[in-house]
Structures are given as structure tokens and as C-alpha cells.
Amino acid sequence: MASSCSLFHSSLSSKSKSKFPLPRHQNNTKFNRPPPTVISCTSSSTYDPCPSTTSSNSNSPSPLKSGRLADENIRDEARRHRSIANNTFSAKYVPFNAGPDSTESYSLDEIVYRSLSGGLLDVQHDIEALKKFDGAYWRELFDSRVGKTTWPYGSGVWSKKEWVLPEIDPDDIVSAFEGNSNLFWAERYGKQFLGMNDLWVKHCGISHTGSFKDLGMTVLVSQVNRLRKLKRPVVGVGCASTGDTSAALSAYCAAAGIPSIVFLPANKISIAQLIQPIANGAFVLSIDTDFDGCMKLIREVTSELPIYLANSLNSLRLEGQKTAAIEILQQFDWEVPDWVIVPGGNLGNIYAFYKGFKMCQELGLVDRVPRLVCSQAANANPLYLCYKSGWIQFKAVKANTTFASAIQIGDPVSIDRAVYALKNSNGIVEEATEEELMDAMAQADSTGMFICPHTGVALSALIKLRNSGVIAAGDRTVVVSTAHGLKFSQSKVDYHSKKIPDMACRFANPPVQVKADFGSVMDVLKKYLGNKTPNH
Ligand SMILES: Cc1ncc(COP(=O)(O)O)c(C=O)c1O
Ligand SMILES: N[C@@H](CCOP(=O)(O)O)C(=O)O
């Protein structure tokens, strides 16, 4: 039996009951009644105006203070509150950047990675349905979910569920409460090295498996969980990886009890990244090729075997990754920064950021999108070369070894998405040499960060654009940090021991070897302190 809180909008139609304004009616009456579809108290909001009345059984245990029943876990609680009727929102696959005449589309429950013409796909949301709620509604709804443990909205990704995978049952979601990552004010770095006072680092790598890939993987693995329950032919999930996608895939699959298979280029990823899928029980293939070779193989294999493809060629991943952009706006109280700088490899993430910002603009949460910068390692720079050609010519390259090993990619699958994102955000592409990216990383670390080399690539772009005056001292700028520095400690060890051929390692800070006696220790300390001036 439906509870009183229940399932019909009529129970939400009184403003006094609902915390959130209701959508605009077609006739423009402000906050009129939502469309006559059925929606649960919690399918569009974590806010339950009548939590204690949702159980129809008078013998049920009394609710806890939190609104949860005594014998319930958070998933049970979500199940009790879930909608038993159709959700108002929906999404489907369409060919990426299809013209207005295209009618090609696929349900998200289909296993499809490419359009009929062989192009990329995109997840298209029913924007008209989302637009029935105004920008203020969405801002307030998303803000209300931050910092909670309500399943699944406590996750930074699932707090935007209606914009991500609106139709998935919370019961099918596999989440580690990812997202909600720190937006770090780089006060000292900005001031000391760039003369900036509004510089921020979005620490997407301080996360469950240590990279932004968690944001996309929770979505992909949740959908796989659903497909398996629907008895679709998915025996396992596979990816090619430079180390972060494989870590995220194996962790989320392990949490859900789903087999994962990862293709890694032998000797081209860090030890920390290699041990992650091994520890999480993935089937790990170390293949004597580079990432592009692994990517080619996984595409062939997934078209032959019932292994679901987890790379960002699969547009589902980007639906999760785009929430980092929404989160940045949220953390600035819905003010739009001037610049967002993202390191690029397979090039899904730059498009994901664009999509997140664009949806916020389209749905009235903000009035513009920031300018995007994509930064590549000079040793693996096909996008940069394409940009320099005036976007005229894209040619895959052979990616050379780089300390930014996770972006050692010469034939990015999302090239079309990246070009689209950059063209539509008045974007810029930069590149960083090995010395530039390692120096930038070392300087940032010396101000209290501990970033990965890929973030060094993004910082190098910022340094260049500041020096050329393109980015002004007062511009609010966000650098996206994509992985945890601890995954790449060997690169820092090499740098600080000045062991890198042809690199000055100007900011190295090697440890001082000293004998274990008081005099020797005093000597080195006096010498060290002699170079310092008191701070007053
Ligand atoms: C740490 C890190 N930074 C940046 C990237 C680049 O992201 P994308 O491939 O979406 O361009 C990747 C993966 O490619 C990565 O693992
Ligand atoms: N850096 C990535 C490369 C693959 O990117 P994806 O986003 O297409 O999975 C990795 O860590 O594997």
C-alpha cells in the first residue's frame, strides 16, 4: 500500500511540505505542481518530508533518529523509500554530435559502444523533463545532499543521480561514496610562483582508488550490475589501462562481486597502480605493448566475448566524470571560474568537464561555461598538434615515455569529443616537456601539495598561459588534479635524487647523509639554519 508520503505528487504539492520548489508549470505559474507523473519522495530528493510514515506496517520497528528503522542499513532504507512507479527523468545513447535529423538511439540497457556509422556515442538526457525544474531547484537539491550518508546521494556522483543515470534503481548502485573531493585553495603556490590569489586545485585524485576514474567507474559498474540482474550477457568487465582505470574498475567490480579483466602495458605503469588490480582480485594481463596496443586488443576482445568494455569509449563513464565540473560550481557557490585546466590522455575527461558545465548552463544553474584548457605531455601530444594545425588535421602519434605515464597515449579514443569541448568553450591546448612537468610538480609539492606528474602537466600549462598574459593574475582558475601523488612516488624519488638524465632537477630536495654523532648533526643544522632568515 502506498504510504502517505508517498508516491504521488499531490503529497508534494504543498510548498510547506516540500523543502524544494516545485517545477514551473507550462503556463508559467511559478512553482506550480509538477507533471502528473509519479515520483517518490526520495527519487528526486533525499529529503523525506514524512520518514516515519513510509512504512505501512504498524508492527514495524520504530524509526531511528536518522529516519532509518532499527534493523535497516542505508541500502534497505533507500529501498523502502524508492519509487514504485516510473521515474520522471530518462536518458539514452545517441550518436555523438548527431545532427537534428538523426533518429538513431539506444536504451542504456543495450550493450553498444559505437554508432551505426562507427562513431562515438553520447548519453543524452531528457532535457525538457529536467527543465521542468528551474536552476534554483537543482542547486538547492544538489546542495542538500552534500556530506550525508543517505544511499546513494551521499556520493558526489549520485547526489546528481537525476543527471547521471536517472532510471537506475538505488539498489543496483555500486558506490564508495566517491566525489565530494577537496577544492584546495593554492594560496602559497599561486602567490609565490604565479602572482595569483584565486588559484584552486580540484583534488579528484584524493579518492577511493586514488584517481578521478572512480567518478566514472561507479556509474559504469552500477549499470553492469543492473545488466547482470536483467540477465544480459555480461560475464565480466574489461579495460585497457595506464593504471588508473584498471585500479578503479577492479575495486568497484570487487565490491560488487563482478569479475574484472585488465590489460596493462608491461613495465609502463607505476608499482602502486600495478598492485591495485592484483590486490582487488582482477584477472591481470601484462601485455608487451603500449596503452594504444592494449586498447586495440580490448576493443577486439570485447566484440567477441561477453566482456563489457569499461574504457571511456563507453560514454557511460563520462556521465560520472562530468559531476566533478558540477561540484566545482557548487563549491564556488554556483559562481563560474574563468579557467579550468585538465590534463589529457585518452581525452574523455575534458569532454566530461565540458558536458557538466554545459548542463549547468542549459538548466539555468549558471549563466556561462568557463574556458577550458587541455594540457598534454609533449611526449604524447596528438591533441596539441591538432590544435596547432588550427584543428585541421588529427594524426595519431607514437607516444613516448613520460613521467606522466597515465597519459602516455598516442591515439586517444575521444579525440572528437575533446575537439568539440575545446571549440565550444573557447578552449586552448598546451603541452609540457618532461622537465617542465617535473619542475612544476616539485614546486607545487614544496608549497604543501603532493601532486601527480599529470597535475604537473596541467600546472605547466598554467605557468605558460600566465607568462604569456593569457591568464590574468586575478582570474579565478582551477587546475584539475587527476591522481594521488603517492601512486607516482618513484618519479619524485628520481627527481629528488637528481637521477634523471638530462634534467637539472632544479628544485630537488635530497636528504642529507649525516653521521650519528651530536657534532656532525649540529654542523649540518647550523649550516642549514645559516641560510634562513627569521620570519619577522
Ligand atoms: C592520472 C590521470 N590523469 C589524466 C588522465 C587523462 O584523462 P583522459 O584520458 O580522460 O584524457 C588519465 C587517464 O587517461 C589519468 O589516469
Ligand atoms: N589513464 C587511463 C587511460 C585510459 O583511459 P579511459 O578513461 O579511456 O579508461 C587509465 O588509467 O587507464
Side-chain angles (χ1 to χ4, degrees), residues 211-213 217 239-246 273 291 295 310-313 317-318 321 345-349 405-407 409 413-414:
S211 88
F212 71 95
K213 305 285 179 176
M217 211 52 83
C239 73
S241 185
T242 52
D244 290 323
T245 298
S246 43
Q273 290 172 310
F291 170 80
M295 191 70 223
N311 283 102
S312 59
L313 175 65
R317 280 262 312 280
L318 306 181
Q321 288 172 213
N346 221 11
L347 299 180
N349 212 26
S405 53
I407 53 175
I409 297 173
V413 299
S414 285

Side-chain angles (χ1 to χ4, degrees), residues 131 134-136 138-139 163 359-367:
K131 271 190 180 160
D134 67 8
W138 290 115
R139 285 196 301 260
W163 293 23
M359 274 185 89
C360 286
Q361 184 192 26
E362 249 187 302
L363 290 164
L365 286 73
V366 297
D367 59 4

Side-chain angles (χ1 to χ4, degrees), residues 242-244 246-247 250 262 264-280 282 284-286 487:
T242 52
D244 290 323
S246 43
S250 57
V262 306
L264 302 177
N267 304 318
K268 290 190 173 63
I269 69 171
S270 76
I271 289 288
Q273 290 172 310
L274 174 60
I275 201 63
Q276 286 183 286
I278 291 174
N280 285 146
V284 179
L285 300 191
S286 176
K487 285 194 178 195

